Amino acid sequence: MHVSNTDRLALEQGMRRLAKREYQSVHAESIELIKRNVSDPVPYFLLGILASDHNNYAKAVELFRQSIAYDSSNPIVHAYLAKVLTTLNQQADARDVAQRGAALPIKEAFTADMLGVVFSRTGFHSDAAPLFEKA
């Protein structure tokens, strides 16, 4: 994602709070971020994780796709979307999304691993291997 330092901080803080299951604060801050800038990809991504964590996969897909529509340059958003699509048994779509994410520069081991898992779940183990090695 091409985000400002302020938005990068919001993303990092939001991810940390989601890991701690501080859902209400992430939700409230994400809504505020959207009110300030409706085309900011960060809050849609954070809300997508929140929806996924609550098993609202259809909403998570919608939110991740919205984040990608505003900025498709972050492979982690593709990884989360692909993961949710595998959960919904939409394997072909999941692989397509994972391929787009894998084609981007991947800096985090977590993202490489998540994309590798998606390829494994969709039966494309040869695509998964280099991502697992990277992770």
Side-chain angles (χ1 to χ4, degrees):
M1 275 180 217
H2 301 293
V3 294
S4 69
N5 287 336
T6 303
D7 288 340
R8 186 177 321 283
L9 183 60
L11 174 64
E12 291 170 2
Q13 289 176 344
M15 294 287 288
R16 279 194 295 276
R17 287 199 320 259
L18 284 170
K20 295 178 186 176
R21 302 207 181 311
E22 296 175 6
Y23 295 120
Q24 290 179 335
S25 68
V26 172
H27 183 269
E29 184 170 320
S30 294
I31 297 303
E32 285 305 311
L33 288 170
I34 291 170
K35 286 178 182 177
R36 281 190 288 165
N37 179 3
V38 72
S39 61
D40 180 353
V42 172
Y44 297 99
F45 174 62
L46 295 173
L47 290 170
I49 295 172
L50 198 153
S52 178
D53 284 357
H54 285 87
N55 301 326
N56 189 348
Y57 302 119
K59 187 64 173 178
V61 167
E62 175 187 329
L63 289 161
F64 291 140
R65 288 194 190 280
Q66 190 64 50
S67 180
I68 290 169
Y70 288 129
D71 182 353
S72 62
S73 68
N74 192 336
I76 197 167
V77 184
H78 295 273
Y80 271 94
L81 173 57
K83 179 184 172 189
V84 170
L85 290 169
T86 64
T87 302
L88 293 171
N89 204 27
Q90 297 177 16
Q91 307 306 345
D93 287 343
R95 180 172 185 247
D96 290 344
V97 171
Q99 284 178 318
R100 287 193 294 277
L104 297 168
I106 299 172
K107 298 176 185 169
E108 302 87 13
F110 175 78
T111 302
D113 182 69
M114 187 183 287
L115 289 167
V117 168
V118 169
F119 282 124
S120 290
R121 285 183 180 174
T122 58
F124 292 90
H125 303 286
S126 61
D127 291 333
L131 290 160
F132 289 140
E133 287 174 16
K134 184 173 189 127

